[in-house]
Each structure stands twice: as structure tokens, then as C-alpha cells.
């Protein structure tokens, strides 16, 4: 597929939080990464408002294991500490395949739609380990990115068959990514086949809930937005 990148992301811990378990201050991870978490990782590798990243597939490379830790987060009502238990994934490792498309909801950035340059920068950024820090769900779970070929290597669930994870959070739809100008949350039912989860596109999700009304930020070249050519020179010190 055009505009596609492939990489492996791993770390010591991951916490892809189930929103239902956050009400009492304690957090419990999903068994697999959400679409939104992987999209955040890809955007930490490289992102511009001109493009929208679409997560195609994720391959679970290591066994799904959890570890519970006692934490002392700040209370909501004052500055004192509370006691809570967070459940993390241990030694997570995933191969990810994603591609970008131009954001048609941003006609103000049409001047920046240079497919080859965005793709080249994205591939270079993968080889560099990302442009920003990588986190596996939450900030305390540092992640690391390396370039790879999707499907290569041995995965724990290669011949495991099918696993259904039930309804879970898919991701957010932001005002500048939708014609409705609403901030929405999406739900879906993922299925893993021999370690690989193929994500449905955001617009295909059947269960969508509007969180609040929103408005897309406006960008203007030379004022609050840099052209891709200037971004490339800043990153690699040369013209392309």
C-alpha cells in the first residue's frame, strides 16, 4: 500500500487503559493495544495536521502477561496521595503496519499535500526511533521503535487460532477529522487471528458516541504552520 510504514514497538511495560476502570482512580490495561494508542505512537514517530494516520494491522509478538503494581497517585479533590493498584502488560512487543492519507477536512493545508516528501520523512523517522518520545499507553511506560518487515520473525500467537476480545474502545474522532465537527468516541469488537489484529477504519465503527462539540484549529502558512520542506531541513539538515 502507498504511504505505508512498518515498525516494531516494544517496552518493559504497557498500560492501554480501559476507561471503565478509571473511575475509582485505579487503572486496568486492555489485553491488546487500542487503535487510538497505536495511532498516538505513529503520530509520535511523525505527524503533520496535513495527514491522518490509519492503523492497518498489529501483530502481537510476545505472550499477553499482566503485572499489578501498587501506586500512590494524587487525589482528585486535594494534593494528598492515595493508594491504587495499576495492572500493566509485561514485556509487550508489537509489529505495526500503518499508512497515511491526506486529511480532506483540512482544505487550508492543501498546499502541504506532498505525498513523497511526507512518506520519506516518515520512513526516516521510523529508522531514527521516532521524532518524539514513545509511550505504550501511558507516560510511565516508555516504548522504543525500530524499523522492521511486518510478518517477519516468530510470534507467540502465530499458530494460536482465533481470539475474540469483546467490545472495547477503538479511538477518538476529532473535529478536524470528521464532517460532523464533533469529538466522538468509537467502540468495536476486535478479533486476533494467529497473533494478527486487522483494524477496521474509524468510519466503519458502528458504535459511536458524541462526547462534545468542537471546532478544528485553523492553520496558516508562515504564521503557525511550517511547510514540509522546512520541516525536512530542520530534521535532517538537507533538502530532498
Amino acid at each position: 500500500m502507498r504511504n505505508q510504514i512498518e515498525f516494531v514497538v516494544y517496552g518493559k511495560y504497557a498500560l492501554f487503559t480501559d476507561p471503565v476502570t478509571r473511575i475509582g482512580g485505579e487503572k486496568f490495561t486492555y489485553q491488546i493495544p487500542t487503535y487510538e494508542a497505536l495511532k498516538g505512537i505513529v503520530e509520535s514517530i511523525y505527524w503533520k495536521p496535513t495527514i491522518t494516520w490509519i492503523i492497518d494491522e498489529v501483530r502481537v509478538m510476545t505472550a499477553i502477561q499482566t503485572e499489578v503494581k501498587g501506586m500512590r497517585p494524587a487525589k482528585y479533590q486535594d494534593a494528598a496521595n492515595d493508594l491504587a493498584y495499576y495492572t500493566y502488560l509485561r514485556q509487550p512487543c508489537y509489529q505495526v503496519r500503518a499508512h497515511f492519507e491526506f486529511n480532506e477536512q483540512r482544505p487550508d493545508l492543501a498546499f502541504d499535500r506532498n505525498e513523497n516528501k511526507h512518506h520519506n520523512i516518515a520512513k526516516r523517522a521510523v529508522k531514527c526511533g521516532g521524532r518524539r518520545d514513545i509511550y505504550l499507553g501511558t507516560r510511565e511506560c516508555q516504548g522504543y521503535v525500530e524499523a522492521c518487515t511486518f510478518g517477519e520473525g516468530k510470534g507467540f500467537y502465530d499458530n494460536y487460532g482465533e481470539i475474540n476480545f469483546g467490545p472495547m474502545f477503538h479511538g477518538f474522532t476529532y473535529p478536524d477529522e470528521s464532517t460532523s465537527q464533533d469529538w466522538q468516541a468509537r467502540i468495536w469488537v476486535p478479533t486476533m487471528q494467529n497473533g494478527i489484529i486487522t483494524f477496521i477504519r474509524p468510519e466503519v465503527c458502528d458504535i459511536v458516541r458524541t462526547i462534545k462539540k468542537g471546532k478544528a484549529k485553523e492553520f496558516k502558512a508562515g504564521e503557525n504552520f511550517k511547510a514540509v520542506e522546512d520541516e525536512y531541513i530542520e530534521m535532517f539538515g538537507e533538502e530532498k
Side-chain angles (χ1 to χ4, degrees):
M1 183 179 293
R2 295 173 62 182
N3 305 334
Q4 195 169 73
I5 59 172
E6 297 176 347
F7 61 90
V8 59
V9 58
Y10 60 92
K12 189 174 182 180
Y13 293 102
L15 180 55
F16 305 112
T17 316
D18 182 347
V20 175
T21 65
R22 303 184 70 169
I23 299 174
E26 300 191 349
K27 299 179 183 179
F28 191 95
T29 183
Y30 280 123
Q31 294 172 293
I32 55 175
T34 63
Y35 180 97
E36 189 69 23
L38 293 175
K39 183 181 176 184
I41 291 172
V42 177
E43 290 180 347
S44 292
I45 294 173
Y46 174 70
W47 178 79
K48 294 288 287 288
T50 313
I51 63 178
T52 299
W53 283 104
I54 304 296
I55 309 301
D56 300 314
E57 294 177 298
V58 62
R59 184 183 178 209
V60 182
M61 301 297 293
T62 55
I64 299 173
Q65 303 178 75
T66 59
E67 180 177 323
V68 179
K69 290 186 176 185
M71 309 295 285
R72 295 187 62 84
K75 292 184 177 180
Y76 290 112
Q77 62 271 26
D78 54 52
N81 291 106
D82 204 352
L83 177 63
Y85 290 101
Y86 291 4
T87 303
Y88 296 87
L89 289 171
R90 292 184 58 220
Q91 302 296 331
C93 181
Y94 309 102
Q95 289 183 354
V96 181
R97 176 182 283 161
H99 74 279
F100 73 80
E101 300 174 359
F102 290 124
N103 189 350
E104 298 298 334
Q105 308 305 320
R106 302 305 312 234
D108 53 330
L109 299 179
F111 67 90
D112 194 46
R113 293 176 183 172
N114 190 316
E115 179 181 332
N116 290 331
K117 288 188 176 182
H118 282 298
H119 193 206
N120 288 334
I121 294 175
K123 290 188 292 184
R124 289 262 194 119
V126 169
K127 293 180 180 179
C128 293
R131 302 186 66 181
R132 294 179 291 182
D133 290 340
I134 305 297
Y135 303 112
L136 293 170
T138 55
R139 191 172 181 84
E140 69 264 27
C141 299
Q142 182 74 42
Y144 306 92
V145 165
E146 297 177 5
C148 77
T149 299
F150 190 91
E152 283 191 352
K154 184 178 180 181
F156 185 85
Y157 296 96
D158 285 352
N159 301 303
Y160 207 86
E162 184 178 294
I163 301 177
N164 187 290
F165 294 96
M168 64 180 288
F169 176 70
H170 184 274
F172 292 115
T173 300
Y174 294 97
D176 65 344
E177 297 176 342
S178 171
T179 56
S180 66
Q181 291 288 297
D182 293 334
W183 184 20
Q184 300 173 329
R186 308 184 303 270
I187 307 294
W188 78 310
V189 180
T191 299
M192 182 170 70
Q193 184 69 41
N194 293 326
I196 296 178
I197 300 168
T198 301
F199 288 98
I200 61 175
R201 293 179 61 93
E203 61 268 22
V204 180
C205 290
D206 293 327
I207 306 176
V208 180
R209 296 291 181 267
T210 298
I211 300 175
K212 64 179 181 180
K213 298 290 183 180
K215 183 179 179 181
K217 179 179 178 179
E218 295 183 4
F219 291 95
K220 296 182 179 179
E223 296 184 13
N224 60 352
F225 186 82
K226 293 182 180 180
V228 66
E229 292 85 355
D230 298 331
E231 196 79 7
Y232 190 97
I233 294 173
E234 279 189 12
M235 185 173 181
F236 302 111
E238 58 183 21
E239 294 187 8
K240 182 73 173 179

